Every structure is written in structure tokens, then in C-alpha cells.
Amino acid sequence: MPITAKPQAALFIAGHGSTENPDSSAPYFEHADEIRKRGLFAEVNCIFWKEEPSFREAWYLTDCEEIYVVPDFISEGYFTQDVIPRELELTGPTTTVRGKTFHYCAPVGVHPSMTQLLLRRAKEVAPDVDPTQTTLIIVGHGTNLNPNSTKAIKDQCELLRQQTEIPYAAVLDTYMEEQPFIADWHTLAETLNVVVVPFFISDGLHSFQDIPVLLGFESEVGAAASQREVFRHNPHDLHGRKLYYSSAIGTERLIADVILDQIHDFDQLHSNNANDTH
Amino acid sequence: MTRIEKLQQLLDQGFHRIGQIEILRAESIASPPPCAFLLCHEDDIEHVVNASGHPSGFSETCNPFDARDISTYADDGEYRFTKGQINLKRRWVMHLADITALHEAIENFYPSNFSLWLAQQRGILEVQTLRDKLNRQTGMYRFARSISNEGAQKLVQRVCGPAHQCAKKILWQIDADTPLEESEASRFNGIGSGLAEPHAIPLLCREACNHFVAECRKESKKEFEAKAQA
């Protein structure tokens, strides 16, 4: 969905980041570069929980008095509902903090346009498979601490089942730390071909180190994604199946479009709403 | 005054160094490339000037956002988890078209530092105490808050400052009533080059970095185990 240029406004892309894995923040910067090229905002900055600049430093980063914040997170949950609003001092969809107005958008992972990106990624990783003989598995982290953390994946899987563009035999949601477990992929999927797309923003510890072990084609946790070529060895012959494994969906450069979609939706939804000031 | 105007004013006053980055005006170089500014590592100035901005064996870029790639790893391959580390790699040169590009480059080499310095100059920079930082940690890092004040003081002397690869000036205290004890780390002014302001501006640490938080977690665990054994 095209958005109107906002030459007086800044865009802050909020990510998690890591003190140990440089691959973790690479997608955020790529998404920022992509949006910057389109010249829609006066500034596009990335802000982080675990890297520099921190969420708490965001207020100082721009001269703009209007700022859109889009969490480059895969689901609604603790970080998007608690940490980011607390760190940025946001009290509602639009908050004015010491003279600067922040618009807080929904995270990228919950937007319906993610469905097309998932299809595109699945097609890229296994271009020649017959979808009617293929199970598409979307894998997320999952945690018993927050029921919202799996909602985005469940919603996307439902949208993938409903679409008719690529008729996969089955679409399954699986998780690392709650049922249904990704480690059971070979008993959950009933088709010859299985395509697995990690529902994560970055190719960090989970998508390129932990999940390959759970899938069974790596025997131990290995080096960082940038130093390996996991996804280039498709397909993996395991349990009598052809397993295709993709990199994390967040590494898709077109996530930039989803970020802009969230801003468009925010403007549509909140154009007449009140502004909290403090 | 916008931050770009402030940067221009600062340059006019003689500013040319931030962290390990040297800012060269193109007009100060013989036969310069078509740009307004050149950036390089402070130890490579001579190479860049003598080669008119095209030193042999150096990587060249005109994109200010390449600062992130240049500053991600040190020459020995180590991940630079905080950009205040004094192991910025050498043998690159950046040709920047204008002052906007210069601003983008320095804010990417040293994320938000110019903005924080500007806020400090304007008297609006809010500094976060270590306790405030630790009390907001979650997950496995929530245990970091258990560190004693004594443990935190020792950790500053063991982890921070140029002797431990960080060239930022620490602005924070342990809590509102507990300043950092005197040490090389707590005294460091944030300018590793030894230049005076305004020729250089300091790197600022307004909140303990996440590496320090991780170290607090390890230290608090040691303290807990030592108490359990006593």
C-alpha cells in the first residue's frame, strides 16, 4: 500500500539487537536502507534494546518533531507492548514527549501483507516442488510466558491456508519451545516435500543455529549465520523426506514494504484520535 | 539551530576528530576527489592526504551508511559490540558529498554520539544511573541487578576506560547518591586522541552499555556463590 511522503517526519525502526551476534541487527539496517532510498522520510534511523543507539537515546536522535516508530518485531508481546513504550515514554498510539510527537505502529509480523512474503520465500527456497505434495511449516520461538507470541504465526498460517495462489498440501505452525515442536516436523508433515520458513527477523542464534539442530541436519550448534551456508545445501534428505530450509523471513528486503504498510494502517486508524502529552 | 547547522558551526571552530575518525576537508588536500569531506582512521591521515584521497590498498566509499559495515568488525575479526571500542579498523577512506552525509557518517560510526553531545551542550541530556539500567533488565539479565555497589565499582575499573578498549566518557553514577570511585576509567574524558575541544568532541556514555550489564550479571552470580559458600 503506497504511503504519502512525510518529508517533515522521521522513521525509527525498533529492533532487538545483540551484544554477541552482528548478524542479529543486519536486517534492520537493510530495511532502513531500502526505505531511505525511497525518500519518504526526512530521516530513517534504527534503535535497539541491545545495541547502540538504545531506545532511550531515540528522543535525541532527530530534529524532526514528528516520529513514526515501527517495531521490527515478529509478534505482539513483551517487547512491543511493554519494553518499547516504556523506554520511549509512550502512553498511547500517539504521544508527545517533551515536544516531539511519536506515532507508535504495530509490529511488522502481525501485518497481513507478511503472507505474500512468506509465500515468496517458500517459493524461492523450493522453486520446483509440487505444492500439492508439499507441507509448508512456519517455525517460531514460542514461549509459555506470553500467549501473544504465537498469535502472529497462527494468523499467518491461517492466511496461508486460505490463499489459492500456491496450494500447499498443508500449512503448519510449529515452535522451538512449545507444542507443536519443530523437532517433530517429520511426524507432523505427511508429504514428501517439506519447506520450513523461520518466522524470525534475523538469522541469529535461533534460525541458523538452533533450528537446524532441531530439524536434524546439523548435529551441533555452529557458527554465526554470516560464516555459514546452511540454506545453500537444500534439499536435505531426512526421514525419507526432502527438507528445504530458508533463512529467516525478516531478512527479506521487502519487509521494508511491510513497515510502510504498518505506517499506512496507523494513519488510517488513528487520524482522528487523541494525543497524550507529557 | 539544527544539528546540521551546529555541525557546520563546530567545523568552523576547528572540529576534525571524533573517536578514531579524522574529518578532512577536501580543500585541505591537493587534487582531492570530488567531495566536500574525507573520513579516515586517525592513524591513516598521512596515507590519505599524500595520495590525494586515493591511497593504494584502501577501500573507498561515498556512502555514509557504509560506516556501519566498516565499524562492525575490528581488523582481527572481533565483533565491536560497542562502537566506543578503540579497535576501529584501518585502511579505508570515505568521500562524502556534503555536510548532511558527514553527519550521517559520524552518527553511524558512533551511533547517536553527536546527538547526545549536542543535548549535553544544550543542557537537556538525561543520564541514566546504573541501578536504573539494571532494574529494567529482563530475562536472564534480571539477575544483574543483584550486584553490590562495591562489585559494580570494581567492575567499572575492570571493564571500562581506554585500558579496557572503551574510549567513552562515563556520565552515569551507580545511583543518584553514589558517584563512581576515582579511577582511570571514571576520569577519562572521552577523547582518546588527546586533542582538546573543539578540535575533538568526546564519546559519551549516558547509560551503561549492554556488555557492562552482562558483566554485572556474571559478577552478581559470583557474589551469590561466594555468600552461599561462606
Side-chain angles (χ1 to χ4, degrees):
Chain A
M1 191 72 68
I3 71 165
T4 312
K6 299 172 185 298
Q8 306 303 317
L11 166 61
F12 286 177
I13 296 172
H16 190 283
S18 166
T19 55
E20 296 180 7
N21 184 351
D23 296 330
S24 173
S25 56
Y28 307 109
F29 290 105
E30 286 171 8
H31 304 157
D33 284 344
E34 183 65 33
I35 295 173
R36 214 175 269 125
K37 281 181 194 166
R38 303 184 194 186
L40 296 168
F41 293 88
E43 294 176 28
V44 182
N45 292 311
C46 295
I47 55 174
F48 298 101
W49 176 234
K50 286 288 174 189
E51 290 185 33
E52 305 159 304
S54 71
F55 292 151
R56 284 238 168 163
E57 292 170 352
W59 189 91
Y60 303 104
L61 275 175
T62 180
D63 288 329
C64 293
E65 293 177 357
E66 183 176 32
I67 299 154
Y68 284 82
V69 180
V70 180
D72 211 348
F73 279 74
I74 217 67
S75 63
E76 288 282 14
Y78 178 65
F79 279 101
T80 62
Q81 293 173 337
D82 294 307
V83 174
I84 297 173
R86 181 191 71 202
E87 298 294 300
L88 296 180
E89 303 176 63
L90 309 181
T91 54
T94 292
T95 312
T96 298
V97 182
R98 298 186 292 284
K100 292 181 183 173
T101 300
F102 289 77
H103 303 302
Y104 188 47
C105 306
V108 294
V110 305
H111 198 279
S113 62
M114 285 293 283
T115 313
Q116 279 302 318
L117 295 192
L118 288 166
L119 282 175
R120 177 189 161 105
R121 180 55 60 90
K123 181 77 177 165
E124 277 175 358
V125 74
D128 300 323
V129 299
D130 174 0
T132 64
Q133 299 296 316
T134 304
T135 300
L136 173 58
I137 295 181
I138 310 299
V139 54
H141 190 283
T143 167
N144 291 325
L145 298 175
N146 191 329
N148 275 335
S149 72
T150 60
K151 184 177 183 305
I153 296 182
K154 287 188 169 76
D155 289 349
Q156 285 300 330
C157 284
E158 190 52 41
L159 291 168
L160 287 163
R161 288 181 199 110
Q162 289 169 9
Q163 59 83 35
T164 54
E165 184 183 337
I166 305 180
Y168 285 106
V171 179
L172 305 176
D173 59 301
T174 64
Y175 307 95
M176 292 173 61
E177 294 191 358
E178 65 177 273
Q179 291 187 323
F181 292 110
I182 184 61
D184 297 330
W185 68 274
H186 49 93
T187 57
L188 297 168
E190 296 176 346
T191 54
L192 170 66
N193 305 310
V194 178
V195 176
V196 177
V197 180
F199 206 58
F200 292 87
I201 291 295
S202 64
D203 279 330
L205 300 174
H206 296 322
S207 70
F208 263 76
Q209 298 191 32
D210 299 333
I211 295 173
V213 173
L214 294 170
L215 288 169
F217 65 82
E218 292 282 340
S219 57
E220 58 185 32
V221 170
S226 59
Q227 296 161 44
R228 306 172 68 215
E229 297 186 336
V230 171
F231 64 91
R232 296 189 185 175
H233 300 302
N234 285 316
H236 302 272
D237 290 307
L238 287 168
H239 301 285
R241 319 291 181 84
K242 298 282 186 192
L243 175 69
Y244 299 80
Y245 184 60
S246 97
S247 51
I249 191 63
T251 61
E252 170 63 56
R253 207 168 173 89
L254 293 178
I255 289 279
D257 289 327
V258 185
I259 291 172
L260 298 176
D261 286 343
Q262 287 294 27
I263 293 168
H264 173 270
D265 287 6
F266 180 94
D267 283 344
Q268 294 287 307
L269 193 63
H270 298 289
S271 56
N272 297 318
N273 284 9
N275 178 2
D276 291 332
T277 301
H278 63 94
Chain B
M1 187 179 281
T2 67
R3 65 195 53 224
I4 299 294
E5 289 166 346
K6 183 64 190 176
L7 178 57
Q8 183 61 61
Q9 184 187 62
L10 199 59
L11 289 165
D12 293 343
Q13 291 168 351
F15 167 58
H16 63 92
R17 187 77 57 85
I18 178 168
Q20 292 178 283
I21 305 279
E22 173 70 4
I23 303 166
L24 295 161
R25 288 175 185 258
E27 67 254 26
S28 69
I29 295 176
S31 306
C35 63
F37 301 98
L38 295 91
L39 263 54
C40 65
H41 190 287
E42 62 184 351
D43 294 335
D44 289 332
I45 299 170
E46 198 176 319
H47 296 290
V48 172
V49 171
N50 290 345
S52 294
H54 297 291
S56 173
F58 278 46
S59 64
E60 293 183 17
T61 178
C62 300
N63 182 355
F65 296 100
D66 284 347
R68 178 180 176 267
D69 291 333
I70 294 170
S71 63
T72 298
Y73 292 99
D75 276 324
D76 63 3
E78 185 187 341
Y79 172 40
R80 301 177 72 244
F81 52 83
T82 172
K83 303 303 180 240
Q85 285 182 276
I86 51 175
N87 58 355
L88 181 68
K89 73 175 172 186
R90 295 181 54 184
R91 303 183 69 77
W92 53 269
V93 61
M94 197 173 262
H95 302 163
L96 299 172
D98 53 31
I99 193 161
T100 302
L102 173 63
H103 174 256
E104 289 166 340
I106 64 175
E107 283 286 73
N108 276 274
F109 273 116
Y110 296 104
S112 75
N113 193 76
F114 181 70
S115 298
L116 298 180
W117 178 83
L118 209 52
Q120 187 192 46
Q121 297 293 302
R122 291 168 174 166
I124 56 170
L125 182 65
E126 292 182 4
V127 174
Q128 189 176 7
T129 69
L130 178 64
R131 287 292 167 210
D132 185 21
K133 175 90 178 184
L134 296 181
N135 289 339
R136 293 184 299 105
Q137 299 303 308
T138 58
M140 67 182 198
Y141 292 106
R142 70 182 183 277
F143 299 111
R145 70 186 64 169
S146 303
I147 191 171
S148 65
N149 281 5
E150 295 72 26
Q153 295 279 16
K154 284 180 188 160
L155 207 51
V156 169
Q157 295 170 35
R158 212 166 66 225
V159 171
C160 304
H164 306 286
Q165 282 233 333
C166 186
K168 288 188 177 183
K169 176 180 184 175
I170 305 173
L171 302 178
W172 43 270
Q173 304 194 143
I174 302 295
D175 59 37
D177 303 318
T178 314
L180 297 187
E181 291 172 356
E182 277 285 300
S183 70
E184 185 196 16
S186 67
R187 282 192 300 270
F188 184 63
N189 71 356
I191 302 178
S193 59
L195 294 169
E197 293 189 60
H199 301 291
I201 64 169
L203 302 181
L204 302 179
C205 181
R206 65 162 285 284
E207 63 179 318
C209 70
N210 286 304
H211 173 64
F212 192 84
V213 170
E215 293 299 312
C216 283
R217 175 177 168 267
K218 290 179 196 166
E219 192 62 28
S220 72
K221 191 176 173 208
K222 281 184 197 164
E223 289 180 352
F224 177 80
E225 289 169 351
K227 273 184 197 166
Q229 284 176 352

